[in-house]
Amino acid sequence: MKIKSNLSRAAVLILTIIFLITAVTFEIFELSSLPAQFFGTLLGVVITAIITVLLLQGQTKSEESRERNLMVFEKKQEVFFHFLTQLNTILQKEKLTLHLSHDKTLEREVHSLQDLLFEFGFLQMHTSSETFNQILVCVGNLMDESKKIKHIEEKTEHDFEVYYKVLATDFFAIVSLLKLELYNAAPESIDKKQLDRIIRLSF
């Protein structure tokens, strides 16, 4: 192995010498300018190599950043969609238990207050503090209105209409906040008149 390596080096050296002799003999290069041309070429090779390395490093970092951003986006999407689904579950429950339930079948199924706090924890990891605080306000409004409607013994259409208007307003506010976090798109106002009309026609 060592002999082959030495032979390769010797071959390269011999070919280089032959090239230089040929270049001088046939006046491809002038002997006086040969060192300058040699060092100029060598410098060009070194600069080219450095630029190539820097470009490759930049490309690698760019690809790593793109992959990381994609993974973060997908995780945010998963957390946000799951939170909205669980929010619907929370609002439909009569009440949340104070402790963990032994009847849970899903790892992140919301049964207790502790489950709800963990859901908020997942959400906070992927949102800004401002967005998270606004979502807390909206969820508080929804839970408050849900509690009110559940405690009314003889519910009227007006009670349900008020409840669903609050539900629609705060739920879509949460969706807009999550949309802003996920897609960095400015929230667009929904047509509340049409939404209220749909709610009224549902009774």
Side-chain angles (χ1 to χ4, degrees):
M1 189 75 178
K2 200 169 184 180
I3 295 173
K4 286 184 179 180
S5 178
N6 290 333
L7 286 174
S8 298
R9 290 175 184 172
V12 170
L13 182 61
I14 291 168
L15 288 172
T16 303
I17 293 171
I18 292 172
F19 170 75
L20 292 174
I21 293 172
T22 304
V24 172
T25 303
F26 293 98
E27 297 182 351
I28 297 173
F29 301 118
E30 293 182 5
L31 187 60
S32 59
S33 64
L34 189 60
Q37 290 179 346
F38 176 76
F39 285 113
T41 304
L42 183 62
L43 183 62
V45 170
V46 171
I47 292 173
T48 303
I50 292 172
I51 292 173
T52 303
V53 169
L54 291 174
L55 288 173
L56 288 174
Q57 285 180 342
Q59 184 178 358
T60 302
K61 288 180 180 178
S62 177
E63 289 176 356
E64 288 176 353
S65 177
R66 193 182 303 113
E67 288 178 6
R68 184 170 59 253
N69 290 338
L70 180 60
M71 289 175 64
V72 170
F73 175 83
E74 289 175 346
K75 189 61 182 177
K76 276 188 173 184
Q77 199 174 48
E78 178 189 340
V79 170
F80 292 172
F81 287 175
H82 187 271
F83 177 76
L84 292 175
T85 303
Q86 292 304 321
L87 182 58
N88 181 34
T89 304
I90 292 166
L91 295 175
Q92 291 187 47
K93 287 184 179 295
E94 191 65 31
K95 63 178 180 178
L96 293 174
T97 61
L98 295 179
H99 304 288
L100 285 174
S101 171
H102 299 293
D103 301 327
K104 285 183 66 170
T105 55
L106 298 176
E107 185 181 353
R108 285 179 60 186
E109 186 179 1
V110 176
H111 276 311
S112 69
L113 180 58
Q114 183 170 325
D115 292 329
L116 177 59
L117 293 176
F118 270 90
E119 283 298 315
F120 283 142
F122 287 123
L123 189 64
Q124 189 189 29
M125 285 176 62
H126 297 87
T127 56
S128 65
S129 58
E130 182 182 356
T131 298
F132 181 70
N133 289 333
Q134 288 178 303
I135 289 174
L136 286 180
V137 172
C138 292
V139 172
N141 293 340
L142 290 172
M143 293 184 72
D144 183 47
E145 205 61 36
S146 177
K147 190 173 183 179
K148 286 179 183 177
I149 194 73
K150 288 170 185 174
H151 281 76
I152 298 174
E153 292 184 3
E154 295 182 5
K155 301 176 182 64
T156 64
E157 286 189 4
H158 176 71
D159 295 327
F160 281 112
E161 189 175 336
V162 170
Y163 167 70
Y164 282 111
K165 281 183 179 180
V166 173
L167 176 65
T169 300
D170 284 283
F171 181 77
F172 281 109
I174 292 172
V175 171
S176 294
L177 289 167
L178 295 180
K179 180 181 177 181
L180 180 62
E181 286 282 336
L182 190 59
Y183 302 108
N184 199 25
E188 298 176 0
S189 58
I190 60 173
D191 192 336
K192 290 195 67 176
K193 288 183 178 179
Q194 293 301 322
L195 190 59
D196 291 345
R197 177 171 173 265
I198 292 171
I199 292 172
R200 286 195 304 272
L201 291 173
S202 301
F203 298 107

